Amino acid sequence: MNMLIRFFIMVHLLKKQLKQQSASASLSIEVLTAPIVRSYRVLPHDMGFRDHLPNYRYLSFIELNITHWLMACCHQKGIKNLGWIIAMQEMVYLKEIKFLNKMTVNSQLAGWDKKYVYFETRFFVKNQLMGVGMTKFVLTDKKGKCAPEVLDMLGERTNDVIDSWNQHQVAIKSAQSA
């Protein structure tokens, strides 16, 4: 319930902000790669039974930031009904985030290929890095999956982290069939 309330607040504030901006025909690389930075207070219903923010909550905060980014990009392009589906997520937990901590979630487009979009998210408390997440997802419209080209992401733009992450995923898939 808590994440739904945060989601609706985020959408309301974003729509209000986007009404003040005008839509343009194409997205610049600066707009695509601009970080999404949002702050949250860790509330009682965010807590796990072990007195810290549980693993699944990190992923929910990542989803809020990616949704914010996608809504802003779609508004800029004048696109309606573009969604996304997670293909893979990974978190590296460095320190526990405790009750009532104010955490800053910083998500940024890391790259894309012909099919997927990749996001890196960093979690901070008092400017100290608490965790890093990578998310790989596909864009979807009413017809199903669509290429990142719909948001002017042409060609491929990956880096060493994305490439090694994809190689690891291929290795996991082949190990399951062996």
Side-chain angles (χ1 to χ4, degrees):
M1 189 65 166
N2 171 33
M3 281 298 170
L4 280 175
I5 292 169
R6 286 179 173 153
F7 174 77
F8 289 124
I9 290 170
M10 180 200 69
V11 168
H12 173 72
L13 293 174
L14 182 60
K15 284 182 179 181
K16 191 174 179 181
Q17 176 188 352
L18 293 176
K19 280 182 184 177
Q20 297 171 353
Q21 300 173 354
S22 61
S24 69
S26 66
L27 289 169
S28 67
I29 195 68
E30 293 82 21
V31 171
L32 286 170
T33 59
I36 302 298
V37 181
R38 302 194 43 87
S39 294
Y40 304 94
R41 179 78 58 192
V42 178
L43 300 174
H45 38 280
D46 292 322
M47 300 300 293
F49 66 91
R50 294 188 304 161
D51 196 31
H52 64 86
L53 193 68
N55 300 353
Y56 66 89
R57 280 307 224 200
Y58 286 86
L59 305 179
S60 297
F61 287 112
I62 290 171
E63 288 186 36
L64 286 173
N65 274 17
I66 292 175
T67 300
H68 184 282
W69 172 84
L70 187 59
M71 287 178 66
C73 289
C74 286
H75 174 77
Q76 189 91 16
K77 284 279 293 179
I79 298 173
K80 297 186 189 247
N81 301 322
L82 188 64
W84 60 287
I85 299 172
I86 295 173
M88 188 168 144
Q89 263 185 324
E90 183 174 344
M91 277 296 303
V92 176
Y93 304 100
L94 303 172
K95 295 192 176 211
E96 295 176 329
I97 297 179
K98 298 286 192 176
F99 178 59
L100 291 180
N101 281 154
K102 183 177 182 183
M103 85 179 151
T104 302
V105 183
N106 183 334
S107 299
Q108 190 164 17
L109 178 67
W112 63 86
D113 56 29
K114 294 176 185 170
K115 185 176 180 183
Y116 297 103
V117 179
Y118 302 88
F119 253 79
E120 179 181 310
T121 302
R122 295 179 176 268
F123 294 83
F124 296 93
V125 172
K126 296 180 182 174
N127 294 323
Q128 183 172 14
L129 185 62
M130 306 300 271
V132 180
M134 286 291 294
T135 305
K136 173 181 175 178
F137 60 92
V138 295
L139 297 171
T140 61
D141 59 14
K142 288 183 179 180
K143 298 175 186 173
K145 295 177 185 173
C146 56
E149 293 169 358
V150 73
L151 292 178
D152 298 333
M153 292 185 261
L154 304 174
E156 292 191 13
R157 184 176 172 162
T158 62
N159 56 39
D160 292 339
V161 172
I162 293 170
D163 294 338
S164 65
W165 198 40
N166 282 329
Q167 290 170 357
H168 180 70
Q169 186 180 13
V170 168
I172 289 171
K173 287 179 183 176
S174 64
Q176 289 177 348
S177 60

